[in-house]
Amino acid sequence: FFADHGFPATEFARLGIGPVIMKDEVDYFREIALLEEFRVTLAMAGMAEDGSRFHFRNEFLRPDGTRCARVTSAGGWLDLARRKLTVPPAALLEALRTLPRSDGFLVLPSSVR
């Protein structure tokens, strides 16, 4: 998603920011067998208005659409020099806003003081 929207790893390095994940929550629903094909979706489960914090949601689905797992990751954007959470650049925030919103989307408080 990030590379497709102009943010490959090299761009994050150039900007001196990167995502930091503070918590992952995993829900398992069905088994995925070794070498079984599956697809992964990405949705926004929550975000601060300024984009400084986010909750990403990944759904793991069999080809027939059966949901096997859900991972919700809580994180923010880390200024790599200051080692503090920061607001993402406008272009990145705009890309994040293109993500579909999951059911129960939350507006999060900002992490920037």
Side-chain angles (χ1 to χ4, degrees), residues 44-95:
M44 187 64 73
M47 188 167 70
E49 290 291 330
D50 64 6
S52 61
R53 294 179 60 205
F54 56 78
H55 289 177
F56 290 141
R57 172 136 327 133
N58 296 110
E59 301 273 353
F60 293 73
L61 307 161
R62 289 184 181 147
D64 69 1
T66 301
R67 183 173 60 181
C68 298
R70 175 178 53 226
V71 177
T72 303
S73 301
W77 296 102
L78 185 68
D79 179 316
L80 298 174
R82 294 180 33 231
R83 308 310 287 179
K84 294 186 182 280
L85 290 180
T86 190
V87 173
L92 178 54
L93 182 56
E94 183 158 332

Side-chain angles (χ1 to χ4, degrees), residues 7 56 105:
F7 289 90
F56 290 141
F105 175 87

Side-chain angles (χ1 to χ4, degrees), residues 10-46:
T10 54
E11 183 63 4
F12 284 118
R14 185 186 73 76
L15 292 168
I17 66 167
V20 59
I21 302 301
M22 295 171 263
K23 177 182 171 185
D24 285 317
E25 183 178 301
V26 182
D27 297 297
Y28 296 102
F29 304 104
R30 299 280 184 268
E31 181 179 13
I32 297 175
L34 185 63
L35 301 178
E36 182 179 358
E37 289 187 32
F38 63 93
R39 67 184 176 91
V40 181
T41 65
L42 174 61
M44 187 64 73

